[in-house]
CSV table of all heavy atoms in Angstrom, one decimal:
chain,number,residue,atom,x,y,z
A,484,LEU,N,47.2,-85.2,-36.1
A,484,LEU,CA,47.5,-85.8,-37.4
A,484,LEU,C,47.6,-84.8,-38.5
A,484,LEU,O,48.0,-85.2,-39.7
A,484,LEU,CB,46.3,-86.8,-37.7
A,484,LEU,CG,46.0,-87.9,-36.7
A,484,LEU,CD1,44.9,-88.7,-37.1
A,484,LEU,CD2,47.3,-88.7,-36.4
A,485,ARG,N,47.3,-83.6,-38.3
A,485,ARG,CA,47.6,-82.5,-39.2
A,485,ARG,C,47.9,-81.2,-38.3
A,485,ARG,O,47.4,-81.1,-37.2
A,485,ARG,CB,46.5,-82.3,-40.2
A,485,ARG,CG,45.2,-81.8,-39.6
A,485,ARG,CD,44.2,-81.4,-40.7
A,485,ARG,NE,44.0,-82.5,-41.6
A,485,ARG,CZ,43.1,-82.4,-42.7
A,485,ARG,NH1,42.4,-81.3,-42.8
A,485,ARG,NH2,43.0,-83.4,-43.5
A,486,PRO,N,48.6,-80.2,-38.8
A,486,PRO,CA,48.9,-79.1,-38.0
A,486,PRO,C,47.7,-78.3,-37.6
A,486,PRO,O,46.7,-78.2,-38.3
A,486,PRO,CB,49.8,-78.2,-38.9
A,486,PRO,CG,50.4,-79.2,-39.9
A,486,PRO,CD,49.3,-80.2,-40.1
A,487,LEU,N,47.8,-77.7,-36.4
A,487,LEU,CA,46.7,-76.8,-35.9
A,487,LEU,C,47.0,-75.4,-36.4
A,487,LEU,O,48.1,-74.8,-36.1
A,487,LEU,CB,46.7,-76.9,-34.4
A,487,LEU,CG,45.8,-75.9,-33.6
A,487,LEU,CD1,44.4,-76.1,-34.0
A,487,LEU,CD2,46.0,-76.0,-32.1
A,488,VAL,N,46.1,-74.8,-37.1
A,488,VAL,CA,46.2,-73.4,-37.6
A,488,VAL,C,45.2,-72.5,-37.1
A,488,VAL,O,44.0,-72.9,-37.0
A,488,VAL,CB,46.1,-73.5,-39.2
A,488,VAL,CG1,46.3,-72.1,-39.8
A,488,VAL,CG2,47.2,-74.5,-39.8
A,489,TRP,N,45.6,-71.3,-36.6
A,489,TRP,CA,44.6,-70.4,-36.0
A,489,TRP,C,44.9,-69.0,-36.5
A,489,TRP,O,46.0,-68.6,-36.9
A,489,TRP,CB,44.6,-70.5,-34.5
A,489,TRP,CG,45.8,-69.9,-33.9
A,489,TRP,CD1,46.1,-68.6,-33.5
A,489,TRP,CD2,47.1,-70.6,-33.5
A,489,TRP,NE1,47.3,-68.5,-32.9
A,489,TRP,CE2,47.9,-69.7,-32.9
A,489,TRP,CE3,47.5,-71.9,-33.6
A,489,TRP,CZ2,49.2,-70.0,-32.5
A,489,TRP,CZ3,48.7,-72.3,-33.2
A,489,TRP,CH2,49.6,-71.3,-32.6
A,490,HIS,N,43.8,-68.2,-36.3
A,490,HIS,CA,43.9,-66.7,-36.6
A,490,HIS,C,43.0,-66.0,-35.6
A,490,HIS,O,41.9,-66.4,-35.3
A,490,HIS,CB,43.4,-66.4,-38.0
A,490,HIS,CG,43.2,-64.9,-38.2
A,490,HIS,ND1,44.3,-64.1,-38.4
A,490,HIS,CD2,42.1,-64.2,-38.3
A,490,HIS,CE1,43.8,-62.8,-38.6
A,490,HIS,NE2,42.5,-62.9,-38.5
A,491,ALA,N,43.6,-65.0,-34.9
A,491,ALA,CA,42.8,-64.2,-34.0
A,491,ALA,C,43.0,-62.7,-34.2
A,491,ALA,O,44.2,-62.3,-34.6
A,491,ALA,CB,43.2,-64.5,-32.5
A,492,GLN,N,42.0,-61.9,-34.0
A,492,GLN,CA,42.1,-60.5,-34.1
A,492,GLN,C,41.5,-59.8,-32.9
A,492,GLN,O,40.4,-60.1,-32.5
A,492,GLN,CB,41.4,-60.0,-35.4
A,492,GLN,CG,41.5,-58.5,-35.6
A,492,GLN,CD,40.9,-58.0,-36.9
A,492,GLN,OE1,40.9,-58.8,-37.9
A,492,GLN,NE2,40.4,-56.8,-37.0
A,493,LEU,N,42.3,-58.9,-32.2
A,493,LEU,CA,41.9,-58.3,-31.0
A,493,LEU,C,42.1,-56.8,-31.1
A,493,LEU,O,42.9,-56.3,-31.9
A,493,LEU,CB,42.6,-58.9,-29.8
A,493,LEU,CG,42.6,-60.4,-29.6
A,493,LEU,CD1,43.9,-60.9,-30.2
A,493,LEU,CD2,42.6,-60.8,-28.2
A,494,THR,N,41.4,-56.1,-30.2
A,494,THR,CA,41.7,-54.6,-30.1
A,494,THR,C,41.7,-54.3,-28.6
A,494,THR,O,41.0,-54.9,-27.8
A,494,THR,CB,40.6,-53.8,-30.8
A,494,THR,OG1,39.3,-54.0,-30.2
A,494,THR,CG2,40.6,-54.1,-32.3
A,495,LEU,N,42.4,-53.2,-28.2
A,495,LEU,CA,42.4,-52.7,-26.8
A,495,LEU,C,41.7,-51.4,-26.7
A,495,LEU,O,41.3,-51.0,-25.6
A,495,LEU,CB,43.9,-52.5,-26.3
A,495,LEU,CG,44.5,-53.8,-25.8
A,495,LEU,CD1,44.9,-54.8,-26.9
A,495,LEU,CD2,45.8,-53.5,-25.0
A,496,ASP,N,41.5,-50.7,-27.8
A,496,ASP,CA,40.7,-49.5,-27.8
A,496,ASP,C,40.1,-49.3,-29.2
A,496,ASP,O,40.2,-50.2,-30.0
A,496,ASP,CB,41.5,-48.3,-27.3
A,496,ASP,CG,42.8,-48.2,-28.0
A,496,ASP,OD1,42.8,-48.3,-29.2
A,496,ASP,OD2,43.8,-47.9,-27.3
A,497,ASP,N,39.7,-48.1,-29.5
A,497,ASP,CA,39.1,-47.8,-30.8
A,497,ASP,C,40.1,-47.8,-31.9
A,497,ASP,O,39.7,-47.8,-33.1
A,497,ASP,CB,38.3,-46.5,-30.7
A,497,ASP,CG,37.1,-46.5,-29.8
A,497,ASP,OD1,36.6,-47.7,-29.5
A,497,ASP,OD2,36.7,-45.5,-29.3
A,498,TYR,N,41.4,-47.7,-31.6
A,498,TYR,CA,42.4,-47.5,-32.6
A,498,TYR,C,43.4,-48.6,-32.7
A,498,TYR,O,44.0,-48.8,-33.8
A,498,TYR,CB,43.1,-46.1,-32.4
A,498,TYR,CG,42.1,-45.0,-32.2
A,498,TYR,CD1,41.8,-44.5,-30.9
A,498,TYR,CD2,41.4,-44.4,-33.3
A,498,TYR,CE1,40.9,-43.5,-30.7
A,498,TYR,CE2,40.5,-43.4,-33.1
A,498,TYR,CZ,40.3,-42.9,-31.8
A,498,TYR,OH,39.4,-41.9,-31.6
A,499,SER,N,43.6,-49.3,-31.7
A,499,SER,CA,44.6,-50.4,-31.7
A,499,SER,C,44.1,-51.6,-32.4
A,499,SER,O,42.9,-51.8,-32.6
A,499,SER,CB,45.0,-50.8,-30.3
A,499,SER,OG,43.9,-51.4,-29.6
A,500,ARG,N,45.0,-52.4,-32.9
A,500,ARG,CA,44.7,-53.6,-33.6
A,500,ARG,C,45.8,-54.7,-33.4
A,500,ARG,O,47.0,-54.4,-33.5
A,500,ARG,CB,44.5,-53.4,-35.1
A,500,ARG,CG,44.2,-54.6,-35.9
A,500,ARG,CD,43.9,-54.2,-37.4
A,500,ARG,NE,45.0,-53.4,-38.0
A,500,ARG,CZ,46.0,-54.0,-38.6
A,500,ARG,NH1,46.1,-55.3,-38.7
A,500,ARG,NH2,46.9,-53.3,-39.2
A,501,ILE,N,45.4,-55.9,-33.0
A,501,ILE,CA,46.3,-57.0,-32.8
A,501,ILE,C,45.8,-58.2,-33.6
A,501,ILE,O,44.7,-58.6,-33.5
A,501,ILE,CB,46.4,-57.4,-31.3
A,501,ILE,CG1,46.8,-56.2,-30.5
A,501,ILE,CG2,47.3,-58.5,-31.1
A,501,ILE,CD1,46.7,-56.4,-29.0
A,502,GLU,N,46.7,-58.7,-34.4
A,502,GLU,CA,46.4,-59.9,-35.2
A,502,GLU,C,47.4,-61.0,-34.9
A,502,GLU,O,48.6,-60.7,-34.9
A,502,GLU,CB,46.4,-59.6,-36.7
A,502,GLU,CG,45.3,-58.7,-37.2
A,502,GLU,CD,45.2,-58.6,-38.7
A,502,GLU,OE1,46.0,-59.2,-39.4
A,502,GLU,OE2,44.3,-57.8,-39.1
A,503,TRP,N,46.9,-62.2,-34.6
A,503,TRP,CA,47.8,-63.3,-34.2
A,503,TRP,C,47.5,-64.5,-35.1
A,503,TRP,O,46.4,-65.0,-35.1
A,503,TRP,CB,47.6,-63.6,-32.7
A,503,TRP,CG,48.5,-64.7,-32.2
A,503,TRP,CD1,49.7,-65.0,-32.5
A,503,TRP,CD2,48.1,-65.6,-31.1
A,503,TRP,NE1,50.2,-66.0,-31.8
A,503,TRP,CE2,49.2,-66.4,-30.9
A,503,TRP,CE3,47.0,-65.7,-30.3
A,503,TRP,CZ2,49.2,-67.4,-29.9
A,503,TRP,CZ3,47.0,-66.7,-29.3
A,503,TRP,CH2,48.1,-67.6,-29.2
Side-chain angles (χ1 to χ4, degrees):
L484 303 180
R485 65 172 55 179
L487 172 65
V488 181
W489 71 87
H490 169 76
Q492 182 173 330
L493 310 95
T494 62
L495 275 72
D496 51 43
D497 295 337
Y498 309 101
S499 65
R500 176 172 58 89
I501 302 174
E502 293 188 1
W503 183 31

